[in-house]
Amino acid sequence: MSRPLGVVVDLDDTLFPQSAYLAGAAGAVATAAAARGLDGAAVHAALRAELAAGSDRGGTIDRALLAAGVPEPDLPAHVPALVDAFTQFRPAQLDPYPGVRAALHALAAAGPVACLTDGNPVIQQAKLAATGLDGVLPHVVVTDALGGRRLRKPHPAGLLAAAGLMGMPADRVLVIGDRPAKDVAVTLAVGARAIRVRQGEHAGAPDEPRAEAVVDTFPEAAAHALALLGAVPAR
């Protein structure tokens, strides 16, 4: 395969622990629920449980309200406001994983770097700003902004857009991410390469499809990427 010319990084659970954002957002929803006369503590506990079962599933707040004892006929009266509370939550700070900032600077010195992430664009931009990494990532593509959930990874549209912003063919991109079914699978459609970081919510997911390398931290992934980019001698 051709040598990569640039790197595309995932955001959630690749650069920072997604659980930190979800904890804050769940708290915001619980506060909004209590303001509406619901049992805020019960909604909070149920929502945390739903998010732990899978943070990118649809209908999470609906299921949490049902689990908290809210009658199903009452859901339409509450769900829109609580979804808005979740969407509008703005974390003051999200700490990146150790070594991420320095690793991104090293990658940026070796070639173009972009971020490719799934999710509500408002939420994803707020997360990135809270990490303080937006200044290191000049190119950011949020797949939902391209055409909604249907274009989330492994659909190649986002990766093609990121490659275009970096000024290179998509097959010359190296992707670093935590989810084989998304961050590795998205490279298959365009002939690109991937490194998997085994951390966060999906750390235990099987390596299917298998990435070129599987590591435990982002700095390890960056070191491998720098070797592939030719910035440092390969070991």
Side-chain angles (χ1 to χ4, degrees):
M1 299 178 70
S2 300
R3 178 174 65 86
L5 299 176
V7 176
V8 168
V9 298
D10 174 53
L11 177 60
D12 301 327
D13 282 333
T14 296
L15 301 183
F16 81 101
Q18 164 84 329
S19 59
Y21 168 80
L22 294 176
V29 171
T31 298
R36 300 180 65 82
L38 302 177
D39 185 338
V43 171
H44 186 248
L47 183 54
R48 291 295 298 271
E50 287 292 333
L51 291 170
S55 62
D56 60 355
R57 299 183 302 161
T60 301
I61 290 177
D62 303 62
R63 291 190 299 275
L65 291 181
L66 291 172
V70 178
E72 186 170 3
D74 293 348
L75 293 187
H78 296 295
V79 168
L82 299 187
V83 169
D84 187 61
F86 190 101
T87 303
Q88 297 303 319
F89 170 66
R90 295 292 182 274
Q93 180 175 325
L94 292 171
D95 294 326
Y97 285 116
V100 163
R101 189 179 305 277
L104 283 175
H105 278 291
L107 290 173
V113 179
C115 179
L116 174 61
T117 180
D118 293 334
N120 182 306
V122 173
I123 293 175
Q124 298 308 99
Q125 291 289 354
K127 291 176 185 175
L128 186 58
T131 66
L133 298 174
D134 43 348
V136 195
L137 294 166
H139 307 300
V140 178
V141 175
V142 183
T143 55
D144 287 35
L146 301 177
R149 295 177 67 95
R150 67 184 183 87
L151 295 186
R152 291 185 176 184
K153 295 173 283 185
H155 194 288
L159 187 55
L160 291 169
L165 290 173
M166 294 191 296
M168 65 187 63
D171 64 353
R172 303 297 296 276
V173 167
L174 176 66
V175 174
I176 300 176
D178 67 296
R179 298 184 66 175
K182 285 179 170 282
D183 303 308
V184 179
V186 71
T187 66
L188 301 181
V190 300
R193 303 159 84 169
I195 299 171
R196 186 216 175 160
V197 185
R198 192 180 281 127
Q199 58 190 14
E201 180 182 336
H202 301 279
D207 288 310
E208 300 174 1
R210 179 80 182 184
E212 178 161 325
V214 179
V215 298
D216 293 325
T217 69
F218 188 84
E220 290 179 274
H224 193 85
L226 288 170
L228 292 176
L229 290 167
V232 297
R235 294 182 178 179

